[in-house]
Amino acid sequence: MAGLPLARLMPIERPRGTNDYGPEEMARRRAVEGLLRDAAHRFGFREVSTPTIEHLDLFTRKSGPGIVEELYAFKDKGGRDLALRPEFTGSIVRFYLSELRNLPKPIKVYSVGNVFRYEEPQKGRYREFTQFNAEIIGAPALPGDAEVIALAIECLRSVGVREVRVRVGHIGMLRAFLRVPPEDQGKILHWLDKRNFPALKNELARLRLETLETPLRQYIELKGGPDVLDTGAKVLAGVGTEGFEYLKALAKRLEVYGVGHVTFDLGVVRGLDYYTGMVFEVDSPNLGAEKQVMGGGAYSLAEVFGGDPVPQTGFAFGLDRVVLAAEAEGVKLPVPRLDCYVIPIGESMRAKSLEVLQLLRRAGVSADVDLLGRGPSKNLDYANAIHARFGILVGETESKKGRVAVKDLDSGKQEELTLEAVIANALQRPKA
Ligand code: AMP
C-alpha cells in the first residue's frame, strides 16, 4: 500500500445531487412506476422513448439561452453542443415534428426516465431524478386539458396517495396582460414564478412597465373558488374573461371525471416559459418544502421548431416525490417478495435442494437457495432478512415421503407439504 498515490486510496463518492437506490428502495420505485404506467395505459396513453442527450439548441430555442445555467451542457468529441435532458417536453416536440405527427390524432404518449438539472440539491430536489411524463398532442384545449389532469390525479390515486391538492391557473391571461414579445414575457414570468420581486421590479423597469408590478403581485396571490377568477379579471384590467371562463368550464368537466376538489390558483406561473394556456400543479401537503409532486399545462411549441401550431397539454411527475408522498401516507406498495428460500438440512441434501430449487423456478415461483453452506437456523435468519415468504427445508426424512417442510416466515407456522402444494401456495397467495 505504501507506494500507492493518495488519490487511489480515497473513497470515491457519488456526484452531488445524485442518488444510489438499494434493493428495497428500488422495489418501491419500480412498484410506483408500474402503477403509473398502468394508469397511463388505462387512459389510452402509449409509451415512447427519446435520447438522454439532445442538441443544446433544443432547450435554448424553447427556453432561451438563460436555461444553459440550469443544464448539464457539454461539447462532445466532435465539438457539438449537447445537453442532458432536463425534462421530456422538448424531446417529445422534436420527435413529434420528425415522426409522431404521422400518427392519427390525438397522440397520447408517456415516457419514464432520468432527467438532469444543475440545481441546489436538498431533500426531494436532486440533480439527477426520474420523471414520468405524459402528453396529449392535437386535442382541443378543453377535452385535452381535462383528460391530462384526470390522468395526473388517477396516477396518484392508483399509487394510493390520497391527500392531493390540485391547483389550476391560466398563464395565457398573464401573457395577454403583458403585451410584450414572448422573450420578455418569459423573463417576467420567470421572476414571478420564483417570487423574486426585486428582479421582477428591475425587469419591469427595463421594459418601462413599472405600473404592472402592483397588479401582477396582486394577481399571483389569488387562490380559492370561482370568485377569485372574477377578481383576477378585474386585477388584469382589459384582458377580458375568456381564460377565466375557460377555467370554470374545465373545473365542471373535471367534476364529471370525479376530480371535484380543484382550487383556482392564479399564482401558478410555472418556471419554464413555454406554457400558453391552462397550467396546473399537484401538491402532497405531507412533503414539506418540496411538496409539489407534479406540474404541467397547455402549450403550443411546435411552431418554435418550425412546425405548424398544434395544441399540446402535458405533465411530469417526479418519481422520488411520488414515492415520498406514498411513504408519508403509510401506503403499502405492492413490492414483490421472494416466494421460497430453499434450505438443505445437512450437506447430504444439497443436491436434492438444487433439484427442488429448479422445480420451483421452472414452475414460475421465485426461489433462492443457500450458497454459503450455512446451517438451517442461520439460513432462516437470512430468509427473514430478505423478506422471503417461505423457508423450504429439504431434509432426508420428509424427502423420502416426497415432501418438504415449509415454514411460513410471516406466521412462523411450519407444515409438511408436497412440492406441488408448495408451488400452488406460492403462486396463489398475494405477493404484497
Ligand atoms: P417541472 O418539470 O419543473 O415542472 O417538474 C415536474 C416535477 O418533477 C415536479 O413536480 C417534481 O415532482 C419533480 N422535480 C422537479 N425538479 C426536481 C428535482 N430537482 N429533484 C427531484 N424532483 C424534481
Side-chain angles (χ1 to χ4, degrees):
M1 290 292 255
L4 284 178
L6 194 59
R8 287 188 57 186
L9 299 174
M10 299 278 281
I12 295 177
E13 290 179 6
R14 59 173 191 253
R16 197 153 176 255
T18 62
N19 287 294
D20 295 313
Y21 298 104
E24 310 262 327
E25 218 171 343
M26 213 46 218
R28 285 198 294 275
R29 291 166 65 76
R30 287 288 185 224
V32 166
E33 191 185 318
L35 293 165
L36 298 180
R37 281 176 194 278
D38 291 348
H41 288 158
R42 282 201 300 282
F43 271 60
F45 286 70
R46 296 185 293 164
E47 185 170 13
V48 292
S49 176
T50 55
T52 316
I53 45 175
E54 292 277 5
H55 288 291
L56 179 62
D57 272 357
L58 183 71
F59 307 113
T60 49
R61 216 183 293 171
K62 180 165 71 65
S63 306
I67 190 79
V68 178
E69 297 301 305
E70 295 168 37
L71 295 178
Y72 279 86
F74 56 95
K75 278 196 194 295
D76 74 0
K77 293 195 172 81
R80 300 170 197 90
D81 282 309
L82 299 174
L84 298 181
R85 63 183 173 203
E87 43 115 60
F88 283 93
T89 305
S91 306
I92 298 292
V93 175
R94 176 189 55 65
F95 191 21
Y96 166 76
L97 289 172
S98 66
E99 277 177 58
L100 293 178
R101 69 170 155 189
N102 299 320
L103 297 178
K105 293 209 179 56
I107 297 163
K108 300 170 81 174
V109 289
Y110 77 90
S111 298
V112 192
N114 48 354
V115 297
F116 303 82
R117 296 183 189 176
Y118 200 81
E119 54 188 349
E120 238 357 85
Q122 62 187 71
K123 186 175 160 61
R125 177 174 291 278
Y126 312 117
R127 289 183 169 174
E128 178 183 16
F129 58 100
T130 303
Q131 276 196 340
F132 175 90
N133 182 87
E135 316 258 347
I136 300 186
I137 310 177
L142 186 62
D145 288 357
E147 175 84 353
V148 161
I149 296 179
L151 171 61
I153 301 305
E154 175 59 21
C155 281
L156 288 170
R157 274 193 193 138
S158 64
V159 171
V161 176
R162 300 277 146 199
E163 291 177 45
V164 291
R165 307 248 191 289
V166 190
R167 297 177 289 110
V168 182
H170 201 292
I171 218 156
M173 298 310 277
L174 269 176
R175 288 191 185 279
F177 180 65
L178 291 173
R179 288 199 201 95
V180 288
E183 311 83 74
D184 294 326
Q185 285 175 12
K187 285 179 203 133
I188 296 171
L189 295 174
H190 177 74
W191 297 128
L192 264 183
D193 185 31
K194 298 265 178 238
R195 305 298 192 260
N196 185 334
F197 297 120
L200 174 71
K201 202 181 183 79
N202 284 342
E203 191 58 33
L204 290 172
R206 189 181 70 78
L207 297 166
R208 304 204 178 290
L209 294 174
E210 292 89 341
T211 52
L212 301 193
E213 188 187 346
T214 308
L216 284 175
R217 291 187 59 170
Q218 272 173 4
Y219 183 81
I220 60 167
E221 294 305 321
L222 296 172
K223 195 168 166 180
D227 48 320
V228 303
L229 298 177
D230 302 328
T231 315
K234 282 185 203 129
V235 172
L236 300 191
V239 290
T241 57
E242 199 188 324
F244 302 119
E245 293 308 321
Y246 175 80
L247 290 185
K248 288 180 195 169
L250 179 63
K252 280 218 177 76
R253 196 165 179 123
L254 284 170
E255 267 174 36
V256 186
Y257 275 97
V259 181
H261 47 280
V262 168
T263 302
F264 297 111
D265 182 352
L266 301 181
V268 181
V269 179
R270 317 277 310 130
L272 295 163
D273 56 1
Y274 52 79
Y275 292 101
T276 47
M278 175 282 297
V279 277
F280 75 111
E281 290 176 349
V282 180
D283 301 330
S284 161
N286 298 311
L287 290 191
E290 300 303 318
K291 65 183 188 322
Q292 195 209 107
V293 283
M294 59 128 329
Y299 52 89
S300 177
L301 252 184
E303 60 269 37
V304 176
F305 298 102
D308 292 330
V310 62
Q312 257 179 279
T313 306
F315 70 74
F317 275 110
L319 194 72
D320 300 275
R321 293 203 195 155
V322 183
V323 175
L324 288 172
E327 283 168 0
E329 288 188 31
V331 170
K332 202 166 177 316
L333 292 166
V335 170
R337 291 170 66 183
L338 183 77
D339 293 315
C340 295
Y341 186 76
V342 181
I343 303 171
I345 308 291
E347 219 24 58
S348 61
M349 296 310 286
R350 186 156 295 278
K352 184 77 195 164
S353 298
L354 290 176
E355 264 171 48
V356 168
L357 178 78
Q358 297 303 326
L359 289 169
L360 289 171
R361 285 178 174 170
R362 281 194 201 125
V365 170
S366 60
D368 199 358
V369 72
D370 169 49
L371 298 179
L372 297 189
R374 287 180 175 130
S377 129
K378 284 261 163 31
N379 262 323
L380 280 171
D381 290 347
Y382 177 77
N384 270 310
I386 59 168
H387 307 301
R389 291 168 62 204
F390 302 109
I392 310 296
L393 299 140
V394 183
E396 206 172 335
T397 329
E398 296 86 356
S399 185
K400 280 191 183 134
K401 293 186 270 174
R403 290 168 176 253
V404 286
V406 179
K407 184 165 179 123
D408 182 318
L409 297 174
D410 291 332
S411 67
K413 239 179 69 195
Q414 190 163 319
E415 58 187 332
E416 245 181 65
L417 295 174
T418 62
L419 213 52
E420 290 73 26
V422 174
I423 290 170
N425 281 353
L427 291 179
Q428 268 169 29
R429 289 206 190 154
K431 293 191 176 186

